[in-house]
């Protein structure tokens, strides 16, 4: 049979989903291979809480909100497209830092040749040098947990933050959606049951490839 595709419409059945972006990585705009009208501009790790139970609710609501799920063939985007967007931004940032270094060197050379510059010129030069230094040193610091993730998944992400040559080929054939926390009522005695589990390894590897932190939703090994 055909696939059942849902849509958000004004006359549709009431449905609600709460969501929060836990970590995000900005990318350069890249056309989606699945939706011609959609552009991919990075990635985010999103925590969603469905308040109702409609078909495809989380997948559809996140796509409607601008967070299409990676690997979702109906409403989402391909992992390769997301990585391409992030890599483009990483390359742009590297080029900007490299250009800033060159401008800083050029400015210093000019200062050596023009010792008779007046005070206003010196102030302008100092301001440009300070701006260049800020750009060179603007790479955000990484938490201890993110550095640990780099070591754990070092075969999928190299030290400068770019993805390894195999990209995200390990993540194929499924949707990057995980039931992280479930709450239900025990059918016999009515007790509230809360069940939680970490994301599977392939989704953790995907986060690492995208440069996303998943420390806030990592439970770790249960104590015995």
């Amino acid at each position: 049979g055909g696939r059942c595709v849902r849509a958000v419409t004004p006359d549709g059945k009431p449905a609600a989903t709460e969501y929060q972006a836990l970590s995000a990585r900005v990318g350069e705009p890249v056309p989606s291979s699945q939706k011609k009208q959609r552009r991919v501009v990075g990635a985010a790790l999103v925590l969603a809480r469905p308040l109702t139970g409609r078909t495809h609710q989380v997948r559809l609501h996140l796509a409607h909100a601008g967070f299409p799920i990676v690997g979702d063939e109906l409403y989402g985007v391909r992992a390769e497209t997301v990585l391409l967007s992030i890599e483009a931004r990483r390359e742009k940032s590297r080029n900007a830092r490299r250009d800033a270094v060159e401008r800083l060197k050029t400015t210093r050379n000019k200062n050596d040749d023009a010792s008779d510059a007046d005070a206003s010129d010196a102030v302008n030069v100092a301001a440009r040098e300070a701006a260049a230094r800020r750009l060179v040193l603007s790479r955000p610091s990484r938490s201890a947990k993110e550095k640990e993730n780099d070591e754990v998944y070092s075969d999928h992400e190299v030290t400068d933050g770019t993805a390894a040559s195999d990209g995200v080929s390990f993540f194929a054939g499924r949707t990057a959606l995980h039931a992280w926390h479930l709450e239900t009522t025990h059918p016999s005695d009515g007790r509230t049951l809360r069940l939680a589990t970490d994301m599977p390894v392939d989704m953790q590897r995907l986060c690492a490839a995208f440069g996303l932190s998943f420390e806030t939703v990592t439970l770790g090994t249960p104590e015995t």
Side-chain angles (χ1 to χ4, degrees):
R3 296 185 297 182
C4 178
V5 179
R6 302 292 199 234
V8 175
T9 60
D11 58 346
K13 295 180 179 179
T17 302
E18 295 178 344
Y19 67 94
Q20 176 185 5
L22 303 178
S23 178
R25 183 69 63 177
V26 177
E28 289 297 297
V30 174
S32 171
S33 58
Q34 292 175 265
K35 301 287 185 180
K36 293 183 179 179
Q37 300 86 357
R38 176 178 292 159
R39 293 191 305 169
V40 177
V41 288
L45 178 63
V46 176
L47 183 65
R49 182 187 177 211
L51 304 181
T52 52
R54 304 299 181 189
T55 303
H56 298 178
Q57 177 174 312
V58 173
R59 297 161 60 192
L60 179 57
H61 280 186
L62 288 182
H64 184 73
F67 293 103
I69 300 177
V70 173
D72 187 342
E73 293 185 356
L74 288 182
Y75 313 106
V77 294
R78 294 173 57 85
E80 293 81 3
T81 305
V82 176
L83 184 61
L84 180 64
S85 170
I86 295 173
E87 284 299 323
R89 173 54 66 95
R90 286 169 173 164
E91 181 63 23
K92 184 177 181 179
S93 298
R94 286 193 292 269
N95 291 338
R97 285 193 292 270
R98 183 168 57 249
D99 292 343
V101 171
E102 292 301 321
R103 287 197 300 270
L104 186 59
K105 291 180 180 178
T106 300
T107 300
R108 288 176 175 173
N109 291 336
K110 288 182 179 179
N111 288 345
D112 292 340
D113 296 336
S115 58
D116 59 344
D118 58 29
S120 61
D121 288 341
V123 171
N124 292 334
V125 167
R128 288 195 297 270
E129 287 186 349
R133 285 193 295 271
R134 285 195 297 270
L135 182 58
V136 172
L137 303 175
S138 62
R139 188 170 182 174
S141 60
R142 299 172 66 81
S143 67
K145 188 65 177 181
E146 289 177 307
K147 293 177 181 178
E148 178 183 335
N149 293 339
D150 285 344
E151 296 176 0
V152 173
Y153 305 109
S154 59
D155 55 336
H156 303 287
E157 185 181 16
V158 294
T159 55
D160 67 353
T162 59
S165 59
D166 64 346
V168 289
S169 59
F170 61 86
F171 193 87
R174 79 179 196 88
T175 301
L177 183 62
H178 169 63
W180 177 67
H181 178 271
L182 298 175
E183 183 174 316
T184 187
T185 302
H186 195 285
S188 299
D189 55 24
R191 288 179 301 164
T192 298
L193 299 179
R194 295 182 177 88
L195 310 174
T197 184
D198 285 336
M199 289 189 298
V201 173
D202 62 342
M203 283 186 62
Q204 295 184 31
R205 289 169 59 185
L206 190 65
C207 285
F210 290 162
L212 299 174
S213 171
F214 50 93
E215 180 179 1
T216 55
V217 289
T218 299
L219 304 174
T221 305
E223 295 183 359
T224 56

